[in-house]
Every structure is written in C-alpha cells, then in structure tokens.
Amino acid sequence: MGVFPTGFKTLTRREILRFVRRPRNTFVPPLITNVLYFSVFGVILGDRVGQIAGVPYILFILPGLVVLGAISNAFENGSFSIFHGRWNEYIHEALTSPLSYSQMVWAYTLSSALRGVIVGIIISVVGAVFTSVGVTRPLYLVAFAVVITVLFASFGIVGGLWADDFDDLTMMNQFILRPLVFFGGVFYALENLPDGPLQTATLLNPMFYMVDGVRYGFLGTSEVNPNLSLAVLTLMAVVMVGINTVLFKRGFGLTD
Amino acid sequence: MTAAIEVRDLRKRYEGVQALDGVSLTVPEGSFFGLLGPNGAGKTTFISILVGLVRKSGGTAEVFGYDVEDDYREARDAIGLAPQEFNVDRFFPIREVLEHKAGYHGIPADEARERADEVLKRVGIYEKRDTRFDWLSGGMKRRFVLARALITEPDLLILDEPTAGVDVQLRHDLWDLITELNDGGTTILLTTHYIEEAERLCDEVAILDSGRIVAVDSPEDLMDRGADRIEIQLRNPPAEAPTLTAGEGNVENVELDGNRLVVTARQGGLVAPDVVRELDREGFEIVDLEISRTSLEEVFVEMTRGQETVGGEDEDSGEDDPEKATAAAPGTSGGAGGDR
C-alpha cells in the first residue's frame, strides 16, 4: 500500500489527470495572459514607472503575477472540480466509496494546489524570458508556494461546495478573488501608498502577505517579516483544511 | 447470521416532507430482495441513506452490521450501487472510470485494470472501453453503471430501477447476470417499477408507500393476499347470482354475467373445487371453468391505492425526493458549464 492508501492516491491521481490532460483549459490561458501582463505592465509601462521598492518594476510585479496565477488556478481547480462533480453527480463515485472524509479533502486540496504551483512555475518561466530574475530564498519560495496554493485550493473547495450554479463560481472569482489580488500589493509597494485607510486596507488583506512572502523568495526583500507571514498563512491553511473536512463529514453541498 | 441490511425506525424529513416515516426492514444476507413502491414512496431515499448520499433524520441503518454513519467506510465498501440516474465521470474513458472506482475501494492499480476489463466483458461493452460515457448508447450506459457497481465485487448489490427504459433483450441479459450473482452469494436489493421483474426475480418483496413499509413477504405470499378470479360458465344459469357457502370465508364476491358466474376469492385455486361441488349439488351444469391468479401488480396497486405519494412526479426524472430535485439543480445536464 505504501505510505498513502490506494484510495487517496487514486482520487489524487484522478484529479491531477483531469487538469493535466486539458492544457488548453488549464495551462495555456495563464501562459498567454502573463505574456500580455509582462509585455504591457513590465516592458511598455515598466520603463515609465522606473524602480519600485529598489528594483525595476517588471521584477517587482513578477512575484505578484506568480501569486495571482498560482492562487487563481488553485482556487479555480478546487471550486470547479467539486462543483462540476456535484453538478453531474459523479462526485458520488468518491462519496459512496470507503475513502475517509479527510482523505477526500486532502486529495482535492493537494491536486488543486499542484495545479497552482505548476501555473506559478509557468509564469516564473515567462517572467524569466522578459527579465533576469533569480531565486534568492528557494526554501521560502517553495514554502510560500505550497502554503498559499493549499490555502486557496481550500477556499476553492468551500466555493465549490457552496455554489448553486456556474455563475456563483464566476462571481467568487470576479468579486472576491480579483479585488483581493489587485489591492494586495501585486502592482504596487506598501510604501507607495499614503498613510491612512488605503495602507490599512492593504495590511488587512491576506494577499499582501502572500505576495510579500513570494517576493522575499525571489528577490530577498520584503516589507513585513516573512516568517510571521508564513506562520499565519500556514495556520490559515491548516484551519481551512480542517473546516473542509468537517463540511465533507456533514455533507454540506454534497448530501441531501 | 448478520443481515445484509438492518434498518430500524428509519426516518428522513426534507423541508415539509416526510420522505421516510419509520421504516424498519431486514434484508437477509444472500437474498434477492425487492423494494417496490409508487413514485415518491421513498425508495431512492432509502438506498441513498445506505450509501451516504442522504443523511437520515432518525433511526438506525446498518449494512452487514456496520452503521452507515459511524462505520461509513466499512458499510460503503460492502455496497455496489447501480443508480437510476447516470452519475458517471465524464472526463475519462469508461475503463479508467472503472479503475478509479476500484482504486477508491483500495484495489491496487494492476488488479483494478484487470477487473475493469473483466466487468466490461461481463456486461458486453468491452469494445467500448476507450470511449467516454457520454458517447455510449442508452443501453450501454445502463450496462456500464452495472459494471461500475460490480468492479468492487460487493457483498450487497443495490440496483435502482436497473431495467428502466431498456429493450427486452437487455432486460433479459441483466436479469440473467444478476440472478447469477445472487446464486454466487451476492445479496441483491432491487427497486423496480416492473412488478413482473420483482415477481420473477425476488425471494422477498417489501412494498413501500408514502415513506412507510406496508407489506414484506415473498411474491407468492403477497399474491395470496389478493383476490383471484374464478369464472364458471353454466349451461343453465340462474336468474340471479346464487349465494355460495363454499370457500370458508375466502369468497369475496359473486356476480352473474350472462351465463358466466364470476367468483372473486382469495386463494382461488383452493376455493374453486368447493365452489364447483356446491354448484353441482345445486343442480347447475358447468361447461367451462377458468381461474385467473391475481398478479403481484394487482396486489401492489391495491395496497398502495389512494395513498398520497410524497413526490408525485415521475421517478425516472430523478425526483423521487422532492428536495433532491432542487438540491440537484446540480444534477442532470451532462458536461454543462464547460471545462475549467
């Protein structure tokens, strides 16, 4: 049986194969989008912006775009996979099997997180084509990448359980995820904001700490203590996985 | 011997609707058990509670001694379910879908592949193994859900309307297959609209109506509860129907229709000789005699007549449970919403 039970491995594999076999739906869109982001924000506008937080603008936004792509895809995978399974009821194949609730949740979470990490890597490679970027703190980068994708995969699962139709999924992405990302320090540094509500809002946005942590992994500079960010985000991820396990156990969105 | 299914006072209440209202039932291990009931009687709710797709509101339910909530993993591992609604993974070819299902039950990949091929051959769709579910014909889809239920070699096979909408040939193929499984020791729980199917296959039948069990018996004994029809053609019919004393109270009605005397009686086969003797004594000359056994269908209709059903909709549309119809707005259209 190995370290992981066969049931857990099978569901995880199934979930990974689902997105790996459909690159046109899963990997090509962020690739194209990020080529556009780097072209417009990095090259065309970046020269006008100049340096921000001590680095060229294109280099400054690279970690933010990696975070944006990684968490969006982790979220989208988790929400879509659960919701589509509910919509067509084939999630019953897993639900009526002897998988434990935590095995189900971890399988959906880790596979969705993996999609986020893969998209993050794709965006990093695209960024490397446009500008010279290194990885100053690889362990931090890996740790932040894993934690934030697990966290947003978990949010996605909640969304997939909660949604009643496909519009709800779009709504979550457009009205919750994107504003958090755009006001989370992807395109600007905290120091660029005037003191007051805008700074406070940014500091209250969990996205800010994620972007700041990933930026620390790439560039070695951060605006807040990366250890604290990592600890808080890890705690949030663990709590979310726990919440999802309870939701599965209670059959929220899954059973009548 | 542990019962395959043991439920006591099982209840399920949806908002405003009591779908199951204190069902107690024992399905013996190795039996071929039929669950009959009109649309909305609660059959699918009952099954769904066993596999964990519906949460019970009260009572207990055990599968081979395992509580369906406390020991859900053991209970679910013992069950193979072929549901009425097609709830199949549309992303993968059907052989892979079977391998996944086997894997969820802890069957290693190599063995899962072997079993997948085996069950696909068994239900006769092996040549379609690399096809996705959506591209199968209706009959093949029905065969596939049976294959999926069989791949885990379950001790309890639950078939929810397995022959709904299939042609005669396939129906007979499915009957042969599940009879063979039952002969091999698999307990079968079958829900069906085709009373003939229950009459032909089941050792025991429970009739469920408005969330309550109204009868549990063998098809034969259930039919004994119904009234048979004895038609006696007389050469010299009387002016009006005679009063019969034969039959020890089993005779329910006597009518005269021209030269035919129609006697309605329970256990008609036993009553007929007494009736014939009495008519003979009375001086009537009997030309012809015909006994029509009551069918299980007639008994079923009689037992469930006039009861207000819970759902009232066509069960084929998956609306056995009224709540399910709304909860499963997620539920019907294949592949809707594209791929993300």
Side-chain angles (χ1 to χ4, degrees):
Chain A
M1 189 188 281
V3 179
F4 298 109
T6 304
F8 166 76
K9 280 193 291 189
T10 307
L11 183 55
T12 309
R13 182 172 175 277
R14 185 260 166 214
E15 286 298 306
I16 292 170
L17 285 176
R18 188 194 71 76
F19 66 76
V20 166
R21 289 190 187 169
R22 283 162 184 79
R24 275 189 309 175
N25 300 98
T26 53
F27 297 134
V28 174
L31 175 75
I32 293 172
T33 306
N34 280 278
V35 167
L36 297 174
Y37 272 137
F38 280 113
S39 304
V40 175
F41 291 106
V43 178
I44 300 170
L45 293 177
D47 287 347
R48 291 164 188 255
V49 174
Q51 293 227 328
I52 187 166
V55 294
Y57 187 60
I58 189 167
L59 206 51
F60 178 83
I61 62 167
L62 187 145
L65 291 177
V66 168
V67 170
L68 172 61
I71 64 167
S72 299
N73 276 269
F75 181 90
E76 188 167 298
N77 198 80
S79 59
F80 177 80
S81 200
I82 295 287
F83 182 71
H84 195 262
R86 287 173 59 218
W87 184 267
N88 286 302
E89 297 190 333
Y90 63 77
I91 200 169
H92 293 178
E93 289 179 350
L95 292 177
T96 59
S97 72
L99 286 160
S100 72
Y101 297 117
S102 64
Q103 284 174 352
M104 291 185 220
V105 169
W106 276 114
Y108 287 114
T109 307
L110 291 179
S111 52
S112 298
L114 178 65
R115 176 169 154 188
V117 169
I118 292 172
V119 168
I121 292 169
I122 290 172
I123 296 169
S124 304
V125 171
V126 171
V129 171
F130 282 85
T131 182
S132 174
V133 59
V135 177
T136 311
R137 305 275 184 178
L139 285 181
Y140 274 97
L141 183 58
V142 170
F144 271 102
V146 170
V147 167
I148 64 174
T149 51
V150 165
L151 178 62
F152 273 78
S154 301
F155 285 140
I157 290 171
V158 175
L161 291 172
W162 168 80
D164 282 328
D165 57 42
F166 281 94
D167 289 341
D168 288 339
L169 295 187
T170 311
M171 191 269 291
M172 284 186 277
N173 203 15
Q174 293 296 332
F175 296 108
I176 301 174
L177 202 58
R178 287 203 184 274
L180 282 176
V181 168
F182 277 83
F183 290 103
V186 173
F187 297 104
Y188 59 84
L190 190 64
E191 64 183 26
N192 299 129
L193 297 174
D195 287 342
L198 272 178
Q199 261 204 13
T200 309
T202 300
L203 284 170
L204 288 174
N205 184 348
M207 206 72 60
F208 170 75
Y209 301 92
M210 294 161 56
V211 174
D212 194 61
V214 170
R215 191 169 283 137
Y216 181 70
F218 275 110
L219 309 178
T221 59
S222 64
E223 297 188 87
V224 293
N225 181 350
N227 291 323
L228 183 63
S229 301
L230 192 57
V232 172
L233 291 168
T234 303
L235 182 66
M236 286 175 71
V238 170
V239 168
M240 282 308 299
V241 171
I243 288 173
N244 278 336
T245 307
V246 171
L247 292 178
F248 263 68
K249 190 173 181 185
R250 291 188 177 175
F252 176 73
L254 296 170
T255 60
D256 293 329
Chain B
M1 190 191 286
T2 310
I5 301 171
E6 181 84 54
V7 303
R8 288 286 162 261
D9 197 28
L10 192 61
R11 290 169 191 278
K12 176 61 188 179
R13 184 166 185 80
Y14 297 108
E15 204 173 311
V17 179
Q18 192 72 39
L20 289 179
D21 192 9
V23 169
S24 295
L25 190 65
T26 302
V27 174
E29 185 174 352
S31 65
F32 202 130
F33 199 96
L35 189 58
L36 306 183
N39 291 330
K43 304 186 294 294
T44 302
T45 298
F46 178 83
I47 290 169
S48 299
I49 287 174
L50 300 180
V51 295
L53 295 176
V54 168
R55 294 173 66 80
K56 60 185 166 68
S57 312
T60 60
E62 292 180 353
V63 174
F64 292 107
Y66 295 111
D67 186 274
V68 298
E69 287 186 357
D70 294 340
D71 313 312
Y72 67 97
R73 299 182 67 182
E74 289 83 358
R76 290 174 197 177
D77 201 23
I79 300 174
L81 169 66
Q84 185 185 352
E85 295 296 316
F86 295 132
N87 57 355
V88 178
D89 190 343
R90 278 133 160 117
F91 280 104
F92 295 89
I94 56 171
R95 178 158 69 173
E96 272 189 84
V97 175
L98 292 177
E99 289 170 22
H100 293 158
K101 181 62 178 165
Y104 301 158
H105 283 251
I107 297 161
D110 292 347
E111 193 186 338
R113 168 59 64 102
E114 280 173 28
R115 285 200 195 183
D117 288 350
E118 197 180 298
V119 291
L120 286 171
K121 285 174 187 164
R122 193 164 189 183
V123 301
I125 53 170
Y126 179 68
E127 72 283 4
K128 296 287 181 185
R129 61 193 176 281
D130 295 323
T131 307
R132 284 206 252 165
F133 183 76
D134 283 338
W135 300 104
L136 298 180
S137 70
M140 286 178 180
K141 285 177 174 167
R142 198 49 75 189
R143 288 172 191 262
F144 177 77
V145 291
L146 181 59
R148 192 184 58 180
L150 295 180
I151 193 160
T152 58
E153 297 180 355
D155 294 325
L156 170 62
L157 179 62
I158 300 178
L159 306 164
D160 194 3
E161 304 281 352
T163 57
V166 304
D167 64 39
V168 177
Q169 181 60 47
L170 174 54
R171 183 173 302 163
H172 282 265
D173 286 354
L174 292 175
W175 285 351
D176 289 346
L177 180 56
I178 54 183
T179 303
E180 195 181 303
L181 288 165
N182 183 241
D183 291 343
T186 306
T187 308
I188 313 268
L189 175 66
L190 170 82
T191 78
T192 181
H193 273 130
Y194 300 104
I195 309 295
E196 181 206 349
E197 194 163 79
E199 205 172 323
R200 186 178 182 133
L201 299 172
C202 297
D203 313 323
E204 209 173 350
V205 166
I207 296 180
L208 188 65
D209 191 31
S210 298
R212 291 198 184 94
I213 297 282
V214 293
V216 183
D217 222 327
S218 68
E220 278 299 311
D221 289 343
L222 278 176
M223 285 189 285
D224 281 346
R225 299 190 195 185
D228 300 335
R229 181 182 164 93
I230 306 165
E231 276 189 37
I232 304 159
Q233 197 172 334
L234 303 170
R235 193 176 300 282
N236 50 341
E240 57 185 45
T243 306
L244 295 175
T245 56
E248 296 173 355
N250 280 327
V251 173
E252 293 182 351
N253 190 34
V254 181
E255 283 177 14
L256 188 65
D257 179 13
N259 62 349
R260 288 185 307 127
L261 191 64
V262 180
V263 180
T264 311
R266 272 174 283 118
Q267 298 189 297
L270 294 175
V271 170
D274 292 344
V275 172
V276 168
R277 273 192 290 273
E278 185 177 345
L279 289 172
D280 196 37
R281 276 199 306 276
E282 300 291 328
F284 295 109
E285 194 180 340
I286 296 169
V287 179
D288 194 17
L289 171 74
E290 190 179 324
I291 305 172
S292 310
R293 185 100 163 89
T294 185
S295 68
L296 187 56
E297 183 161 322
E298 285 163 324
V299 175
F300 171 79
V301 170
E302 185 61 35
M303 285 185 170
T304 57
R305 177 181 292 162
Q307 298 285 337
E308 191 181 330
T309 57
V310 177
E313 296 294 327
D314 182 3
E315 202 165 5
D316 287 348
S317 64
E319 296 180 3
D320 189 25
D321 309 323
E323 282 304 297
K324 193 161 183 269
T326 46
T332 44
S333 56
D339 181 9
R340 286 195 260 180

